[in-house]
Amino acid sequence: MRLVTVPLRKRSYAIKVGGGLLSRLGVECARLKLGHRCAVITDSNVRRHFAQVAMKSLAGSGFDPFLVSVPAGEKSKCLAVVEKCLDRLASHRLERKSFVIALGGGVVGDLAGFVAATFLRGIPFVQVPTTLLAQVDSSVGGKTGVNLQAGKNLVGAFYQPQLVLCDLGTLKTLPKREYVSGLAEIIKYGIICDAKLFAQLERDLPAILRRDPKVLSRIIARCCEIKAGVVGQDETEGGRRAILNFGHTIGHAIENSFGYGKLLHGEAISIGQVAAVKLSREILGLPSGEVERIEKLFVGAGLPVTFKLNAAQYGKLFAAMKLDKKVSGGDVKFVLAKKIGRVVWGQNVSDSQIRHVMGC
Ligand SMILES: NC(=O)c1ccc[n+]([C@@H]2O[C@H](COP(=O)([O-])OP(=O)(O)OC[C@H]3O[C@@H](n4cnc5c(N)ncnc54)[C@H](O)[C@@H]3O)[C@@H](O)[C@H]2O)c1
Ligand SMILES: [Zn+2]
């Protein structure tokens, strides 16, 4: 098992990465010295695979758990489902020392974290992420929340978990497309922070695609360490945390304008990262050899790297980019790479430069 600490002084917590952790859930929670009643929030897919093991482990350690299952998918990240979950917590008489366990992907993590943050003005929660994206990204850092009709993640709270358990065994049942989508975030960490990790991903790609637990445990722990380090320096996204948005400016715009139902988040940010890398070559002189290596890794992982748009669609894309949170004072701000492992944020990029790299 590998251990990563998220350094947030009094709110510091451990991320544990390894095999068989789900069956140790009860033992791990017992160490936190919380109350004995807890809610396990999960979704309809994850429930089928893992709820029984989780509930048995908790009961075996003397906890009194109950299960709250929501429909799988992004639609459950909404206030109506938050209210249903809160009602269930109230009807089971959860109290201040009781706790919530998020068992699932990023949707369940964001939803259950927000439920925990708001019930009785905040009760403890534990993350058990079961998708690759959730293990390397959404379960770390304390962003919780849900969507509104007007847009994604518009309601939420910064609320840190007490513990994150990444059980590598849970990744075995993940559909291939979801798994590969998570790889886009992993490659991102290599580009923004760690050239050695990037080279390791190039070397170990076949083992990663086979979901080899030994290789995965090292890589997932390293990604959590990078995110933990960035979050530790900038918990609420005032500055350096922006580097985690590498590839997300164009990625989100593609997702918002054309992607829903068509592209997964990882697929959209794969396209966004390759575009950002090409902008980096033009603006910061990122060497062509590195641009090629990056593109090759995304393609080798099975991710899309281009998205063809006509003139009208391009207009829609640019409008979406201007609406994005990362715009300040009308300029679209980008995170760009100087070399693999080193990025800078707050870079102004012109409309024509974006048009050029997107091939529009
Ligand atoms: N809080 C953050 O910092 C942060 C960061 C990135 C993304 N997010 C959020 O995360 C969400 C996306 O997360 P996601 O990609 O994990 O999607 P998800 O939670 O919808 O999971 C993807 C699909 O896989 C299924 N699934 C989950 N684990 C499984 C397993 N082990 N075996 C089989 N099926 C399984 C789910 O039921 C779902 O159908 C988005 O809402 C996004 O906004 C949050
Ligand atoms: Zn992302």
Side-chain angles (χ1 to χ4, degrees):
M1 193 202 54
R2 286 166 196 269
L3 175 68
V4 176
T5 303
V6 184
L8 293 169
R9 293 166 297 279
K10 268 175 118 183
R11 279 170 293 108
S12 296
Y13 55 93
I15 303 169
K16 297 184 177 180
V17 183
L21 286 173
L22 190 60
S23 55
R24 290 180 46 79
L25 178 61
V27 175
E28 294 291 343
C29 288
R31 292 192 175 158
L32 300 172
K33 309 230 177 302
L34 304 169
H36 72 286
R37 206 167 296 153
C38 59
V40 178
I41 301 183
T42 190
D43 76 22
S44 44
N45 291 332
V46 179
R47 174 188 188 152
R48 253 188 312 130
H49 296 296
F50 306 116
Q52 213 183 356
V53 181
M55 299 300 274
K56 194 172 156 211
S57 172
L58 289 162
S61 290
F63 289 103
D64 177 14
F66 67 96
L67 196 65
V68 180
S69 179
V70 304
E74 186 72 26
K75 281 211 175 84
S76 281
K77 251 180 75 171
C78 67
L79 287 170
V81 175
V82 169
E83 190 178 0
K84 279 190 185 148
C85 293
L86 290 170
D87 280 340
R88 292 286 308 280
L89 267 53
S91 69
H92 280 264
R93 300 190 319 282
L94 256 62
E95 49 193 34
R96 279 266 159 77
K97 284 202 89 185
S98 309
F99 61 105
V100 168
I101 296 173
L103 173 67
V107 164
V108 165
D110 283 11
L111 167 76
F114 187 64
V115 167
T118 47
F119 187 71
L120 302 179
R121 299 193 182 85
I123 63 172
F125 94 109
V126 169
Q127 289 264 22
V128 186
T130 62
T131 63
L132 190 55
L133 177 130
Q135 295 193 351
V136 299
D137 189 359
S138 60
S139 67
V140 185
K143 276 194 193 174
T144 71
V146 296
N147 308 325
L148 294 180
Q149 289 285 347
K152 259 179 74 83
N153 299 323
L154 290 181
V155 181
F158 282 100
Y159 194 65
Q160 303 294 343
Q162 306 264 319
L163 171 70
V164 181
L165 285 186
C166 300
D167 183 340
L168 301 171
T170 61
L171 298 177
K172 284 190 198 142
T173 53
L174 196 60
K176 180 162 183 224
R177 196 170 163 208
E178 295 287 350
Y179 180 80
V180 167
S181 177
L183 290 177
E185 300 284 0
I186 290 184
I187 297 171
K188 179 190 80 178
Y189 288 114
I191 299 171
I192 64 173
C193 259
D194 189 346
K196 245 175 85 184
L197 170 66
F198 189 89
Q200 187 191 346
L201 297 174
E202 291 179 306
R203 193 189 62 223
D204 292 339
L205 188 60
I208 295 167
L209 291 172
R210 281 200 308 275
R211 311 187 194 188
D212 178 327
K214 224 169 130 192
V215 173
L216 277 181
S217 92
R218 201 162 15 129
I219 289 169
I220 291 172
R222 179 65 191 129
C223 293
C224 290
E225 200 172 73
I226 293 172
K227 183 155 183 191
V230 173
V231 170
Q233 289 170 5
D234 178 16
E235 189 181 358
T236 53
E237 208 165 49
R240 187 170 151 78
R241 191 164 176 163
I243 68 169
L244 297 171
N245 289 326
F246 180 73
H248 282 57
T249 307
I250 290 176
H252 276 153
I254 291 176
E255 236 179 332
N256 293 339
S257 314
F258 321 102
Y260 287 128
K262 267 201 227 146
L263 285 178
L264 295 178
H265 176 70
E267 295 166 347
I269 63 149
S270 171
I271 297 163
Q273 287 183 78
V274 170
V277 157
K278 290 178 181 166
L279 286 168
S280 305
R281 178 178 54 198
E282 291 201 3
I283 297 166
L284 297 178
L286 176 70
S288 290
E290 301 212 343
V291 176
E292 279 161 29
R293 276 176 68 196
I294 293 170
E295 195 164 352
K296 192 168 164 220
L297 186 55
F298 281 110
V299 172
L303 285 157
V305 292
T306 52
F307 198 74
K308 280 277 161 265
L309 298 169
N310 60 33
Q313 288 172 317
Y314 177 76
K316 205 172 157 193
L317 182 85
F318 208 73
M321 249 182 290
K322 298 235 161 184
L323 276 179
D324 196 287
K325 285 179 292 204
K326 287 169 285 296
V327 177
S328 58
D331 283 332
V332 182
K333 302 277 187 196
F334 272 75
V335 182
L336 296 179
K338 282 196 153 169
K339 57 181 186 178
I340 292 175
R342 173 107 201 276
V343 289
V344 285
W345 73 92
Q347 299 287 302
N348 284 321
V349 175
S350 73
D351 187 346
S352 66
Q353 285 168 318
I354 297 171
R355 194 185 289 271
H356 180 62
V357 299
M358 295 287 293
C360 311

